[in-house]
């Protein structure tokens, strides 16, 4: 099971805003940058946010990221039907003898 | 454009091995690493490990140590992931992703390779 906890699902109407939380600990989120990935149905994941709050080229500013302590949050504003997907947070974890990358449990976003 | 193209689907029997390839194009292969991530049916993402395309250094997930080997062929800009002693719970889609040196970005990802382990 993942060491990063996300809500299983969130939903909102088109045009509204949703936030997705990612809760970890000092061995992962607390001391490392967080990334967020979007996985549309039947496709490979895509990087949305890196280094807590940076957007790769081509990612609209409707997507934002933040981090505070041992938790991170992804925000999506102006929700669109095309945003229906699974979203995963990810970061490095140093609790074992060698650093390992861990993903969150995943959150399904539904546009009502 | 930067692209990772993976090999096709595989069906293996328990106890066998599988080797998945990931051919990179559109960037300097040795300037980045490659991470491998798998996703069992209906499940979340699981990081399997990372390899530096520059010097071949690897970092494997502890639960896969001893069963997984990641390699690269710089002459063809191709990364490989071999998983041995396959079990039914290794059935998953396997993805490769370009890993930036900072380790904070997996981008882009390959299209995925379905590996089915079944007797």
């Amino acid at each position: 099971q993942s060491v990063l906890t996300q809500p299983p699902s969130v939903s909102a109407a088109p045009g509204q805003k949703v936030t997705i939380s990612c809760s970890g600990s000092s061995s992962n989120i607390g001391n490392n940058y967080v990334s967020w990935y979007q996985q549309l149905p039947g496709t490979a994941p895509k990087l949305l946010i890196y280094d807590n709050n940076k957007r790769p080229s081509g990612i609209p500013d409707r997507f934002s990221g933040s981090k505070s302590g041992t938790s991170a949050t992804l925000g999506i504003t102006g929700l669109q039907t095309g945003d229906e997907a699974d979203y995963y947070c990810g970061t490095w974890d140093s609790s074992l003898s060698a650093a390992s990358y861990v993903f969150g449990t995943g959150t399904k976003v539904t546009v009502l | 454009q930067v692209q990772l193209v993976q090999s096709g689907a595989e069906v293996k029997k328990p106890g066998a091995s599988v080797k998945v390839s990931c051919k990179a194009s559109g960037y300097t292969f040795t300037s980045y690493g490659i991470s491998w991530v798998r996703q069992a049916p209906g499940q979340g993402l699981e990081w399997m490990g990372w390899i530096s395309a520059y010097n071949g250094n690897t970092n494997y997930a502890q639960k896969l140590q001893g069963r997984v080997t990641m390699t690269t062929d710089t002459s063809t800009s191709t990364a490989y992931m071999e998983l041995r002693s396959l079990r039914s719970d290794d059935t998953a889609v396997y993805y490769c992703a370009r890993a930036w040196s900072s380790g904070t970005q997996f981008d882009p990802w390959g299209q995925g390779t379905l590996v089915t382990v079944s007797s």
Side-chain angles (χ1 to χ4, degrees):
Chain A
Q1 61 276 24
S2 176
V3 298
L4 303 180
T5 303
Q6 300 178 230
S9 63
V10 298
S11 60
Q16 298 300 302
K17 174 181 179 177
V18 295
T19 59
I20 300 170
S21 61
C22 175
S23 177
S25 68
S26 58
S27 67
N28 41 68
I29 292 177
N31 284 285
N32 292 287
Y33 287 115
V34 176
S35 298
W36 289 90
Y37 300 87
Q38 176 194 60
Q39 187 175 32
L40 296 169
T43 70
K46 174 184 174 182
L47 179 67
L48 272 186
I49 297 288
Y50 68 97
D51 290 358
N52 301 333
N53 55 19
K54 297 186 173 77
R55 283 176 286 106
S57 172
I59 301 299
D61 58 6
R62 299 188 300 106
F63 296 92
S64 64
S66 64
K67 188 184 103 167
S68 177
T70 58
S71 293
T73 301
L74 174 71
I76 310 173
T77 59
L79 203 60
Q80 301 175 0
T81 55
D83 297 333
E84 284 206 333
D86 293 322
Y87 293 81
Y88 296 90
C89 57
T91 188
W92 287 94
D93 184 282
S94 54
S95 59
L96 301 176
S97 55
S100 60
Y101 198 85
V102 290
F103 289 99
T105 49
T107 298
K108 182 175 183 60
V109 169
T110 301
V111 181
L112 301 173
Chain B
Q1 75 282 19
V2 177
Q3 196 173 10
L4 299 176
V5 178
Q6 299 183 219
S7 48
E10 305 259 16
V11 179
K12 297 292 183 181
K13 293 194 181 303
S17 299
V18 69
K19 192 169 186 177
V20 179
S21 68
C22 170
K23 182 169 178 58
S25 62
Y27 71 96
T28 302
F29 184 65
T30 52
S31 295
Y32 298 83
I34 294 287
S35 269
W36 289 89
V37 176
R38 68 180 181 178
Q39 186 172 37
Q43 302 301 308
L45 303 174
E46 179 187 14
W47 179 78
M48 301 179 66
W50 164 91
I51 182 168
S52 165
Y54 173 71
N55 58 18
N57 285 351
T58 55
N59 177 13
Y60 300 139
Q62 191 171 63
K63 69 174 286 188
L64 295 173
Q65 287 273 3
R67 285 207 304 138
V68 69
T69 301
M70 297 175 187
T71 56
T72 60
D73 181 344
T74 57
S75 68
T76 60
S77 298
T78 303
Y80 298 91
M81 186 284 300
E82 181 180 34
L83 189 60
R84 300 176 293 278
S85 302
L86 289 168
R87 309 186 290 246
S88 58
D89 62 356
D90 291 317
T91 294
V93 176
Y94 289 74
Y95 295 102
C96 62
R98 184 178 66 167
W100 293 56
S101 57
S102 63
T104 62
Q105 302 177 56
F106 295 168
D107 177 56
W109 295 54
Q111 83 276 19
T113 296
L114 175 62
V115 175
T116 303
V117 182
S118 174
S119 55

